[in-house]
Amino acid sequence: MFRQGEPGDAAYVIETGLIEIYTEQGESRASIAHLGPNSILGEMALFGDADRAASAQALAPTQLLRLTADHLRERLEGAEPLTRHLLHVLVARCRELLERANAGPSPAGPAVQAPAAADLGSDRALAFGRLRAEQDIEQALADEQFQLHFQPILRFADQSVAGYEALIRWVKPDGSRVSPGDFIPVAEASELICRIGRWVVRVAVDSLLQLDQAQRQLQPGSPALFITVNLSARQLHDPELLPLLAAQAQRLQGRDCRLKIEVTESLMIGNVALMQAFIARCGELGLPVVLDDFGTGYCSLSYLHLFKVQTMKLDRSFVRGMAESPASEKVVRGIVAIAHDLGLDIVAEGIETEQQAAQAAAMGVDYAQGYHFGRPGPLAEAMAQLGQ
Ligand code: C2E
Ligand code: MG
Ligand code: MG
């Protein structure tokens, strides 16, 4: 099949037959293995471009499946950089061991060319960078470096605060800040997002209870406040999430203040059945679900009837576009009409100017969120605003 020292570009899976793997050194020949059906051989050719470390010959009529380096590359592209890098390290170690076994102790220096291709180097950088970032996040959780900030969501009708979106903040011990746009995607690649998500839910409910109490004293009789928390896809698979939500719903019972869960369109569309079950369970617990960032994904209005969400948040790209072109304004007007028809409340996100606020209000949007009305701030700030 192939000879030791030849360049290799494929591995083989034996479907039927028998293959011998052997090495040759001058006159001497050493049989390494006899492989039968379902064995794989030549796999090291899939990683890097080192030559075949041994020869292979069929000892019986044999049928093989061929697996090329390209096949593997395609599959590994979607894998974690760390997984890819570990594979390459393991293969290099195997080669080294094999060569040593063949040639005796090697001279100084690496016995095997380390995988030198540029993409392997960037894999390593990516893998180690991500590992470092994950460990930093883990440490940040242990050291309580995360905070929740709260951004007010106002009723257009009377400009009163209806509730808050809870947004996570990471403040490092040296005072520097890491944006959630940078660390949430890293956390989402592992279980860390589930731990972060559970922390967010607990702290959000603690905060809601404090805000609720303050509001009852300051503005007796005013409608109850809500807090929204953001959910990531992996959290749908967190077995601790629903029990935690149930326990938190219990804490909120007897009050009409609310915890709401924000999910994005892409999260819904990627997990239709799971999401429907999740929303149904949230409904039983009295926790409304909010469709976040509408307009950044597929804008599939047709999906809205599949998911029993209570609120739609129009992404700020819509809000910005609305002020810039009459056509966008018509699109938003249409979306607002359909969402209202379906019984949804609408929040316009990212309102930064008086003009945007006026436009959104004129369209019948129910709630507003954005720097024009208030930036995300710590709980103390939200409490102080309640008194104003
Ligand atoms: P999001 O859920 O769409 O949150 C709204 C983002 O828009 C926040 O950014 C907020 O600070 C920002 N924003 C609010 N008003 C304005 C405005 O008028 N103009 C502009 N330019 N931006 C505005 P932030 O806090 O940086 O969060 C970014 C994203 O990170 C969030 O987008 C959310 O997807 C994610 N995130 C934040 N906290 C959490 C969390 O606790 N869990 C999860 N899974 N994701 C979170
Ligand atoms: Mg959100
Ligand atoms: Mg949003």
Side-chain angles (χ1 to χ4, degrees), residues 242 273-287 289 308:
L242 276 169
L274 202 56
M275 200 65 224
Q276 283 174 325
F278 177 78
I279 293 176
R281 185 72 188 113
C282 284
E284 288 163 15
L285 295 171
L287 310 176
V289 174
K308 289 203 169 51

Side-chain angles (χ1 to χ4, degrees), residues 50-121:
D51 296 334
R52 297 282 189 203
S55 305
Q57 69 170 346
L59 300 180
T62 295
Q63 215 168 353
L64 300 164
L65 280 174
R66 190 162 180 273
L67 176 65
T68 65
D70 282 343
H71 283 139
L72 186 73
R73 200 169 303 121
E74 274 169 27
R75 282 164 177 74
L76 282 181
E77 257 159 29
E80 269 274 299
L82 185 63
T83 312
R84 281 198 301 252
H85 182 63
L86 283 176
L87 263 177
H88 289 296
V89 168
L90 284 173
V91 169
R93 293 249 200 285
C94 284
R95 277 185 188 287
E96 194 172 325
L97 285 172
L98 253 179
E99 296 212 353
R100 279 205 193 141
N102 289 348
S106 56
V112 172
Q113 284 274 298
D119 57 325
L120 297 194

Side-chain angles (χ1 to χ4, degrees), residues 32 79 89 91 117 130 133-134 146 154 182 193 226 283 293 377 386:
I32 296 179
V89 168
V91 169
R130 175 157 290 181
E134 283 179 11
F146 290 115
L154 282 83
D182 291 330
I193 194 63
F226 62 78
D293 299 343
L386 270 185

Side-chain angles (χ1 to χ4, degrees), residues 165-167 228-231 262-264 292-293 313 349 369:
E165 176 169 7
L167 293 158
T228 72
V229 294
N230 292 281
L231 197 78
E262 293 196 7
V263 298
T264 60
D292 197 7
D293 299 343
K313 294 183 88 172
E349 288 192 275
Q369 180 180 356

